[in-house]
Amino acid sequence: MSNGTVSLWNGEGRRIHIQEVGTRDGLQAEEAFVPTEDKIALVDALSATGLAKIEVTSFVSPKAIPALRDGEQVMREITRVPGVVYSALVPNIRGAERAIDANTDEFNLVMSASESHNLSNLRMTRAQSFAALSEVSALARQAGAAVNVSLSCVFGCPMEGDVPEATVLDWCARYIEELGAGGVTLCDTTGMAFPTQVAALTRAFRARWPQTELTLHFHNTRGLGLANVMAAIDAGADRFDASLGGIGGCPYAPGASGNVCTEEIVHALALMGYDCGVDLERLVSAAKRLPPLLGHDIPSQIVKAGRRLDLHPRPADFEAIRERALGRA
Ligand SMILES: CC(C)(COP(=O)([O-])OP(=O)([O-])OC[C@H]1O[C@@H](n2cnc3c(N)ncnc32)[C@H](O)[C@@H]1OP(=O)([O-])[O-])[C@@H](O)C(=O)NCCC(=O)NCCSC(=O)C[C@@](C)(O)CC(=O)[O-]
């Protein structure tokens, strides 16, 4: 935190945990169905990069999200690397049963702080979602799985506008204090968050629940992704969702687009001296697998431009230019 002794701009080796959501949030809205074996290979490649957590898939209705209809097979057939938490999005009891069958480490429960988005995305009121999630979290506990709750639209809803901070904190209190969730993710579903707002909500959360695992989940829809990450770090956050290649978006949130890009965030934080514990080269080579699988380009600037010190050859006639410049030719 910028408290006069620690600089935001100099990470000094401080650990930031990056959680990959590319094979869930990233693939869920893609038109192309990425073949199951390619999804498994992608998760395995990500597991070898040092990421803290990977959201492998979702156990939602295959009618709602056909791109992830192979969730069980993917979760069962990935190679688990010790220390990596393999998570999946779970919206209801049916999803919880599937997640248990597939031996999922962490259930990422989902609902929205906005009634309009909750109804659009999950076809339930927030109260109905909360009741369903209470049952899901009891099942998860019986199965020995961890529970995180992702709360969508906390920085604004594309249909309702701003969501009051008190509403967001009330829902967080219910997850943490009634449901016993070990972690909460504050999600900016359609890129409406801005740094001062992010810092205020992060500080309010941290002050009230200093022990709860807090994750920030940003979409880069309006280009504020990295600024929001920095504001959250300044306010005490150390855990972020990000998506390989910068793909992603909720298909039931109007105007949604890609998450903050994993390799861009890791690259930027590493330059500032933060330790994400991630091998950037491996991450970039995993990201390069995406365009042929998806059939389109990806937002990642690091895949396009390379890392800061990935240098280019001088022009072919460089020596001739120099000789001329020095008056020797
Ligand atoms: C919420 C429901 C389930 C309600 O779906 P529904 O259609 O209202 O509910 P239903 O219970 O009547 O079920 C309809 C059919 O789906 C089946 N079904 C129902 N549930 C499941 C399940 N879990 N697994 C497998 N099948 C399921 C169920 O068995 C039935 O099949 P049928 O009888 O017609 O053959 C559905 O609308 C759904 O799955 N929606 C998914 C929405 C979704 O995945 N959205 C994107 C993820 S959230 C997100 O991206 C935001 C986030 C997390 O990234 C953070 C952020 O940025 O904000």
Side-chain angles (χ1 to χ4, degrees):
M1 277 189 275
S2 56
N3 56 12
T5 55
V6 180
S7 161
L8 170 66
W9 305 110
N10 184 353
E12 292 176 348
R14 275 174 286 158
R15 186 61 184 255
I16 299 294
H17 303 273
I18 302 294
Q19 305 176 163
E20 177 59 43
V21 298
T23 52
R24 196 282 297 170
D25 205 335
L27 296 186
Q28 70 186 8
E30 288 295 332
E31 253 172 56
F33 178 78
V34 172
T36 307
E37 61 273 19
D38 290 314
K39 288 181 180 133
I40 294 167
L42 205 49
V43 174
D44 288 347
L46 289 164
S47 290
T49 64
L51 287 158
K53 193 187 279 188
I54 300 175
E55 192 173 27
V56 174
T57 188
S58 63
F59 294 113
V60 298
S61 162
K63 288 180 185 141
I65 306 284
L68 301 182
R69 59 183 182 264
D70 54 359
E72 284 96 329
Q73 193 182 347
V74 175
M75 187 60 95
R76 280 200 202 103
E77 294 184 14
I78 54 173
T79 302
R80 310 252 176 146
V81 169
V84 180
V85 175
Y86 295 94
S87 175
L89 190 89
V90 176
N92 59 9
I93 291 288
R94 174 86 189 91
E97 290 162 352
R98 293 172 62 203
I100 290 169
D101 278 353
N103 193 22
T104 306
D105 294 337
E106 182 195 79
F107 290 22
N108 186 23
L109 280 42
V110 57
M111 69 168 271
S112 184
S114 136
E115 189 78 353
S116 305
H117 181 244
N118 206 69
L119 281 162
S120 314
N121 191 32
L122 300 168
R123 298 161 192 250
M124 290 178 255
T125 64
R126 288 172 297 176
Q128 288 165 339
S129 269
F130 186 80
L133 298 188
S134 305
E135 291 181 54
V136 170
S137 91
L139 265 188
R141 230 183 309 279
Q142 275 170 27
V147 173
N148 183 80
V149 181
S150 281
L151 186 58
S152 295
C153 294
V154 303
F155 299 103
C157 165
M159 293 164 278
E160 290 183 10
D162 281 325
V163 176
E165 190 178 289
T167 305
V168 173
L169 294 175
D170 282 350
W171 283 112
C172 293
R174 296 195 66 188
Y175 302 139
I176 296 164
E177 293 158 20
E178 286 180 43
L179 243 63
V184 169
T185 303
L186 299 176
C187 303
D188 178 27
T189 312
T190 59
M192 293 172 76
F194 56 95
T196 36
Q197 178 199 34
V198 167
L201 187 56
T202 304
R203 284 206 177 91
F205 185 101
R206 270 275 152 264
R208 197 154 157 194
W209 298 287
Q211 305 305 332
T212 302
E213 190 173 285
L214 169 65
T215 300
L216 278 296
H217 174 113
F218 296 119
H219 285 258
N220 201 28
T221 315
R222 292 180 175 80
L224 283 165
L226 179 59
N228 287 332
V229 168
M230 297 313 293
I233 292 175
D234 196 36
D238 64 356
R239 202 169 272 276
F240 296 91
D241 284 348
S243 174
L244 193 70
I247 58 173
C250 174
Y252 300 101
S257 67
N259 292 74
V260 290
C261 169
T262 313
E263 58 273 21
E264 286 178 14
I265 298 296
V266 168
H267 177 259
L269 292 177
L271 288 176
M272 288 181 265
Y274 289 93
D275 173 19
C276 297
V278 177
D279 183 324
L280 185 57
E281 209 171 315
R282 287 186 180 180
L283 207 51
V284 172
S285 59
K288 286 181 177 164
R289 294 172 181 229
L290 287 172
L293 290 176
L294 304 179
H296 60 74
D297 196 8
I298 52 175
S300 174
Q301 294 299 334
I302 299 298
V303 166
K304 291 188 185 80
R307 292 163 297 180
R308 177 175 168 268
L309 286 178
D310 288 344
L311 303 181
H312 298 268
R314 295 185 171 98
D317 58 347
F318 183 78
E319 283 310 321
I321 296 171
R322 177 162 44 199
E323 290 306 301
R324 262 199 308 278
L326 293 174
R328 297 201 289 240

